[in-house]
Amino acid sequence: MIDVELYGGRRGFLEHVRVRVLYALGTYGNRRDIEWAAVRRLAFVCKGNICRSPYACARTRSFGVPAVSFGLSAVDGTPADPIASRNALLRGIDLSGHLSVKIESGCLVDGDLIVVFEPGQLADLQRRFGEQIPMSLLGVWSCPSRPHVHDPYGGSDRYFQECFSVIDENIAKLVEHMVAHGAPAASDLAATPSSESAGHRKPCDRTLI
């Protein structure tokens, strides 16, 4: 019997199955076609910027690779979800200083790769930006792939841990590609805007939105 809790519940499991079928038929396959030499930073985007994307951002930065995070429906200045923070801390990631940033308030710059968690988020960003900015789905980098990573907000600690495990596995692959193609070193992070600081919301040069 399938343990649907590991997919975020029944709704999350059904969406996982639907998207996996589409992915097997070739949909979203081009989201692995990234010009890595041009990527200098990962920009994670989820719905509210209080669970998945801040965790992914902080995990990426723990590897010494620049990252930021935004939310499609975020309210600027909202702390990370308490349950997300508690589960992140169990995995060595501190989200206590995180404040959410809606994508309209943030800045995307040349060299960013947008990474989303659901195909619907990808479609939303494509409507906004077209192909102006390279985009990928987080879950297409793991094996087996998981193109839909369901929102853990309001879910159990067990699903938060599963969700964060999926994020960790995929980020490890993304970081491998970044480092192999000359990602900025950890020493460069001080000059990189971060979603974990208020400075993330300041205007920046070469902004694309």
Side-chain angles (χ1 to χ4, degrees), residues 4-79:
V4 298
E5 187 182 3
L6 294 179
Y7 297 88
R10 184 172 181 273
R11 179 181 175 187
F13 174 70
L14 292 175
E15 188 63 12
H16 164 76
V17 171
R18 184 185 74 84
V19 173
R20 278 278 292 168
V21 169
L22 291 174
Y23 185 67
L25 293 174
T27 307
Y28 315 121
N30 64 337
R31 293 303 151 185
R32 288 179 58 93
D33 298 335
I34 304 298
E35 186 181 346
W36 285 105
V39 178
R40 309 305 292 163
R41 187 176 72 168
L42 299 179
F44 296 97
V45 180
C46 67
K47 182 179 179 181
N49 193 215
I50 57 173
C51 295
R52 291 169 292 181
S53 58
Y55 177 82
C57 176
R59 175 61 75 192
T60 301
R61 290 176 63 84
S62 75
F63 287 107
V65 172
V68 289
S69 68
F70 308 103
L72 290 168
S73 304
V75 177
D76 284 341
T78 303

Side-chain angles (χ1 to χ4, degrees), residues 5 14 20 34-35 55 83 107 109 149 156 160 199 204:
E5 187 182 3
L14 292 175
R20 278 278 292 168
I34 304 298
E35 186 181 346
Y55 177 82
I83 301 176
C107 65
V109 300
V149 181
S156 65
F160 262 99
C204 60

